[in-house]
């Protein structure tokens, strides 16, 4: 039996479901039951009846999966797959802002640890951040931990006072405007699509800025055939599958999230066999962290 057949057999026997982020390896996306961006994966997780969820993503995704499904087994194929940005804010920064502004809302990107979520009022993903911040009654917003997504959101809600911290995604931050300019000069008809985690030079050059699913949907809704993509290379699997007649150009220095790529088919099979590597959150943090996710799902409707 191939490894894919073994995974499928075990998955059916145990009534497990496999979720994968668009940045996972192509062969992992191929075996998954549901593929999506962080928002889609959070929404879908609460609708599933399966007692076991295998979460092919980094730690904060497994934690969120667990918080939204505390009665299910959420299994992580690699417990060391972590998002560096998920740690990039200090409690002191949040406390100082709370002391300064009475009506402060702390808006936390889902790419954060459960502990950071537990200091916050509401979670957002890149797909719903503008909508949620816009709908909050608060004028003063502390956006943590991603300064790039926070800056993008601030530009869309000029009526609010959006304050930022210094966190960033090392993969998106490093996408070079110079390399994007080079691609544009080589392919002048191509539109530039960028993730809001990119640096300001890149987002300013983009024809469209959006989450990974936003980028995928934008291409599906267009007749254009050439695209310059400023996000992690894993999205090419879905883009090429949906649009075999299109050309996709990525920066010469390939944006690859090494943590997402730690998840291999072998590890998916192992975790299904052993039912180990359980995602979890301490009771102390789980209460408020879960509330921030519930609020997100409610406010994003
Ligand atoms: P989205 O899934 O919201 O597009 O975010 C991308 C990302 O960096 C996930 O780690
Ligand atoms: Fe974190 Fe960036 Fe990797 Fe997403 S792509 S998991 S934000 S390091």
């Amino acid at each position: 039996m191939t490894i894919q057949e073994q995974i499928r057999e075990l998955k059916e026997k145990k009534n497990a479901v496999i979720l994968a982020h668009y940045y996972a390896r192509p062969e992992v996306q191929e075996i998954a039951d549901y593929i999506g961006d962080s928002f889609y994966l959070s929404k879908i997780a609460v609708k599933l009846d399966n007692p076991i969820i295998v979460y092919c993503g980094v730690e904060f995704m497994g934690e969120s999966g667990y918080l939204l499904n505390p009665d299910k087994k959420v299994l992580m194929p690699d417990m060391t797959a972590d998002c560096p940005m998920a740690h990039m804010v200090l409690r002191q920064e949040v406390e100082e802002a709370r002391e300064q502004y009475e009506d402060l809302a702390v808006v936390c990107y889902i790419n954060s640890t459960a502990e950071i979520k537990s200091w916050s009022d509401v979670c957002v993903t890149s797909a719903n951040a503008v909508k949620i911040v816009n709908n909050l009654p608060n004028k003063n917003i502390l956006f943590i931990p991603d300064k790039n997504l926070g800056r993008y959101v601030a530009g869309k809600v000029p009526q609010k006072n959006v304050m930022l911290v210094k966190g960033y995604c090392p993969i998106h931050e490093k996408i070079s405007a110079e390399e994007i300019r080079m691609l544009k000069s080589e392919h002048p008809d191509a539109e530039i699509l960028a993730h809001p985690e990119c640096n300001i030079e890149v987002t300013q050059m983009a024809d469209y800025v959006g989450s990974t699913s936003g980028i995928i949907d934008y291409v599906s809704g267009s007749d254009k055939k050439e695209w310059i993509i400023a996000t992690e290379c894993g999205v090419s699997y879905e883009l090429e599958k949906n649009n075999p007649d299109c050309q996709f150009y990525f920066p010469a220095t390939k944006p690859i999230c090494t943590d997402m790529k730690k998840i291999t088919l072998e590890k998916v099979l192992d975790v299904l066999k052993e039912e180990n590597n359980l995602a979890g959150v301490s009771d102390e943090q789980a209460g408020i962290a879960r509330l921030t996710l519930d609020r997100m799902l409610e406010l994003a409707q």
Side-chain angles (χ1 to χ4, degrees):
M1 266 207 283
T2 64
I3 187 155
Q4 284 90 346
E5 287 165 342
Q6 292 177 63
I7 292 172
R8 285 197 185 100
E9 189 182 83
L10 208 50
K11 196 172 63 125
E12 270 165 42
K13 193 170 143 207
K14 297 193 171 189
N15 190 17
V17 63
I18 302 180
L19 308 187
H21 191 272
Y22 285 129
Y23 298 164
R25 290 168 182 266
E27 64 274 20
V28 171
Q29 294 191 47
E30 206 223 315
I31 197 86
D33 299 290
Y34 299 93
I35 320 166
D37 68 357
S38 311
F39 184 41
Y40 174 79
L41 295 177
S42 312
K43 278 189 300 184
I44 198 80
V46 286
K47 294 191 181 138
L48 300 170
D49 295 329
N50 312 65
I52 297 178
I53 302 177
V54 179
Y55 223 114
C56 300
V58 291
E59 189 182 23
F60 76 81
M61 296 182 171
E63 282 183 346
S64 303
Y66 164 79
L67 288 167
L68 293 167
N69 300 276
D71 301 331
K72 294 178 190 165
K73 274 189 179 171
V74 178
L75 308 178
M76 301 301 290
D78 188 319
M79 293 292 264
T80 72
D82 194 7
C83 169
M85 178 166 66
H87 306 266
M88 289 188 191
V89 59
L90 300 172
R91 183 169 198 158
Q92 195 190 338
E93 294 175 277
V94 175
E95 282 175 357
E96 279 173 9
R98 284 212 191 271
E99 271 167 32
Q100 211 177 338
Y101 297 94
E102 225 173 84
D103 78 322
L104 188 81
V106 179
V107 175
C108 181
Y109 192 17
I110 197 167
N111 297 36
S112 54
T113 62
E115 184 184 5
I116 291 174
K117 288 184 179 77
S118 78
W119 310 333
S120 309
D121 297 304
V122 62
C123 246
V124 296
T125 74
S126 61
N128 59 33
V130 172
K131 185 176 180 183
I132 290 179
V133 172
N134 208 8
N135 287 344
L136 287 172
N138 319 57
K139 179 170 168 54
N140 293 302
I141 309 285
L142 178 69
F143 193 98
I144 56 173
D146 187 4
K147 64 176 180 181
N148 287 315
L149 177 62
R151 182 200 67 243
Y152 173 74
V153 171
K156 296 282 177 191
V157 289
Q159 73 281 17
K160 308 250 175 185
N161 174 32
V162 180
M163 291 159 274
L164 308 176
V165 292
K166 294 194 179 121
Y168 61 92
C169 161
I171 317 303
H172 285 86
E173 170 85 1
K174 260 193 250 143
I175 295 180
S176 132
E178 194 44 48
E179 291 188 1
I180 300 290
R181 259 191 292 276
M182 285 275 290
L183 284 172
K184 185 70 182 174
S185 66
E186 287 162 17
H187 310 284
D189 291 337
E191 278 194 20
I192 302 171
L193 311 183
H195 197 282
E197 289 175 15
C198 292
N199 66 61
I200 188 164
E201 263 194 282
V202 171
T203 51
Q204 279 178 345
M205 285 164 69
D207 297 288
Y208 170 79
V209 179
S211 71
T212 42
S213 61
I215 290 174
I216 288 163
D217 293 348
Y218 188 91
V219 172
S220 299
S222 166
D223 295 333
K224 292 218 170 232
K225 298 288 172 233
E226 290 189 283
W227 304 95
I228 295 166
I229 307 293
T231 189
E232 212 272 355
C233 286
V235 291
S236 62
Y237 173 77
E238 188 74 12
L239 287 171
E240 284 165 10
K241 189 172 76 180
N242 297 348
N243 311 280
D245 56 340
C246 287
Q247 294 297 317
F248 298 100
Y249 309 111
F250 283 83
T253 313
K254 290 263 178 290
I256 294 176
C257 178
T258 46
D259 278 274
M260 288 282 191
K261 303 302 188 249
K262 283 181 179 173
I263 295 142
T264 60
L265 289 179
E266 288 74 15
K267 292 177 189 171
V268 172
L269 180 61
D270 273 0
V271 90
L272 266 171
K273 270 188 197 156
E274 306 297 332
E275 295 185 31
N276 56 353
N277 292 0
L278 283 164
V281 174
S282 72
D283 288 347
E284 192 194 335
Q285 288 161 7
I288 300 181
R290 181 173 298 121
L291 256 181
T292 65
L293 288 167
D294 288 344
R295 277 194 199 127
M296 172 184 81
L297 295 176
E298 209 179 288
L299 288 169
Q301 279 194 5

